[in-house]
C-alpha cells in the first residue's frame, strides 16, 4: 500500500510537472531585455527598430541570423552579432563603420569608411586628421557602386601613406582612373595605383631634394618605372 501510494504521488507530481514545465520554460525564454553594445554613433532606438522584434518574441523562436542581417543592412554597421543569454536577454554586438576619409563633391562633403562606404554628411568645420578624396562620381558612390568603392580604397591607402610621411593635411584626386594625384602642403605626387613600387626610389632621392622644395611648391611624378620626375610648379 505504501509503495502504491508513493507511485500515485509520483504520477500526480509527474502530471503537474508536465503541465507546469512548458510554462516555466516559456517564462525563461521570453525576451525581456535587449542588450546592445558597440554603438558609439548609432542610437539604441535605431538598432531596436532594425531588429523589429515580434510581440510574441522569445529567445527560442527568433532567428539570430536574420536579426544580424537586419542590423547589418544599416549603412553605418560593418557587422553585427546576435545571441541568447538566459534568462530573458537578447544580446546584440555591433561593429560600426568609422569615418576614414572625407569625400568632397559639388553637393557637399560626406564621410566614407575605410571600405569606401558612405556613412553620413560631414559637418561643416575643420577636417581634422581625415584625408580628403575628390574626383569620384557622387552618384555612383552614393549608390554603393563596387568599382568606385575599390577606387576610393586605393585613394585612401595612398592618402594614409602620405600622411605618415608628410603630415595630416592630404587630399587625393581620383578623377583620372589611370593614376592618383596626392596633394600635400607644397608637394603634389602623381602615382599609379601600385605606387609602393616607386616610393622607395623617391625616398632615396628625397634628402637631395629638400633644398629645392624650400624654394616653392613642387610636383613629384612617380608614374613611370625607374624614373623620379621632379618639377617646380608654376
Amino acid at each position: 500500500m505504501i509503495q502504491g501510494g508513493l507511485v500515485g504521488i509520483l504520477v500526480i507530481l509527474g502530471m503537474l510537472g508536465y503541465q507546469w514545465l512548458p510554462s516555466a520554460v516559456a517564462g525563461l525564454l521570453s525576451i525581456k531585455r535587449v542588450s546592445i553594445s558597440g554603438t558609439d554613433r548609432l542610437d539604441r532606438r535605431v538598432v531596436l527598430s532594425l531588429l523589429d522584434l515580434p510581440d510574441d518574441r522569445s529567445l527560442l523562436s527568433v532567428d539570430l541570423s536574420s536579426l544580424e542581417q537586419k542590423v547589418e543592412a544599416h549603412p553605418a554597421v560593418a557587422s553585427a552579432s546576435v545571441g541568447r543569454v538566459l534568462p530573458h536577454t537578447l544580446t546584440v554586438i555591433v561593429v560600426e563603420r568609422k569615418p576614414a576619409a572625407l569625400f568632397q563633391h559639388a553637393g557637399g562633403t560626406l564621410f566614407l569608411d575605410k571600405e569606401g562606404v558612405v556613412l553620413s554628411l560631414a559637418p561643416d568645420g575643420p577636417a581634422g586628421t581625415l584625408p580628403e578624396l575628390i574626383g569620384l562620381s557622387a552618384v555612383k558612390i552614393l549608390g554603393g557602386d563596387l568599382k568606385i568603392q575599390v577606387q576610393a580604397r586605393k585613394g585612401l591607402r595612398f592618402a594614409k601613406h602620405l600622411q605618415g610621411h608628410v603630415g595630416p593635411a592630404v587630399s587625393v584626386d581620383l578623377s583620372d582612373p589611370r593614376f592618383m594625384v596626392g596633394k600635400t602642403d607644397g608637394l603634389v605626387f602623381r602615382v599609379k595605383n601600385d605606387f609602393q613600387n616607386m616610393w622607395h626610389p623617391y625616398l632615396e632621392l628625397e634628402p637631395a631634394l629638400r633644398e629645392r622644395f624650400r624654394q616653392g611648391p613642387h610636383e613629384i611624378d612617380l608614374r613611370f618605372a625607374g624614373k623620379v620626375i621632379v618639377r617646380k610648379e608654376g
Side-chain angles (χ1 to χ4, degrees), residues 7-138:
V7 170
I9 292 172
L10 290 174
V11 170
I12 293 172
L13 290 176
M15 294 175 62
L16 291 174
Y18 179 79
Q19 295 176 347
W20 170 82
L21 186 59
S23 61
V25 171
L28 289 174
L29 294 177
S30 63
I31 299 175
K32 296 182 180 179
R33 180 171 178 266
V34 179
S35 172
I36 301 172
S37 60
T39 52
D40 294 325
R41 302 174 63 241
L42 204 59
D43 190 274
R44 173 182 172 85
R45 291 170 294 182
V46 173
V47 179
L48 290 174
S49 177
L50 292 169
L51 291 170
D52 190 25
L53 294 171
D55 294 335
D56 59 344
R57 59 196 186 184
S58 77
L59 293 176
L60 191 60
S61 65
V62 293
D63 184 338
L64 300 184
S65 178
S66 175
L67 293 178
E68 289 170 353
Q69 292 175 12
K70 287 181 179 180
V71 178
E72 290 172 352
H74 195 283
V77 176
S79 64
S81 177
V82 181
R84 307 178 179 95
V85 177
L86 291 175
H88 311 308
T89 302
L90 187 74
T91 63
V92 184
I93 302 174
V94 177
V95 178
E96 292 184 337
R97 298 185 183 275
K98 305 211 180 275
L102 295 172
F103 169 54
Q104 303 280 2
H105 66 105
T109 306
L110 300 170
F111 279 129
L112 301 182
D113 80 338
K114 64 180 182 179
E115 300 298 325
V117 176
V118 175
L119 299 183
S120 65
L121 287 172
D124 295 332
T129 60
L130 292 179
E132 297 179 359
L133 301 182
I134 60 175
L136 296 172
S137 167

Side-chain angles (χ1 to χ4, degrees), residues 133-208:
L133 301 182
I134 60 175
L136 296 172
S137 167
V139 173
K140 289 184 178 180
I141 201 164
L142 285 168
D145 186 281
L146 297 180
K147 289 184 178 179
I148 293 295
Q149 289 179 0
V150 169
Q151 195 175 354
R153 291 198 292 271
K154 291 176 181 177
L156 185 55
R157 282 197 296 270
F158 181 45
K160 291 294 185 183
H161 197 82
L162 286 179
Q163 283 185 322
H165 183 66
V166 300
V170 169
S171 68
V172 176
D173 188 340
L174 299 166
S175 55
D176 192 323
R178 297 172 300 173
F179 60 88
M180 299 180 286
V181 181
K183 299 180 180 180
T184 70
D185 187 14
L187 295 176
V188 175
F189 293 85
R190 296 183 184 275
V191 300
K192 288 188 175 181
N193 292 332
D194 56 348
F195 66 92
Q196 293 93 336
N197 296 334
M198 289 301 299
W199 194 253
H200 185 67
Y202 164 71
L203 292 181
E204 290 182 336
L205 290 174
E206 189 184 52

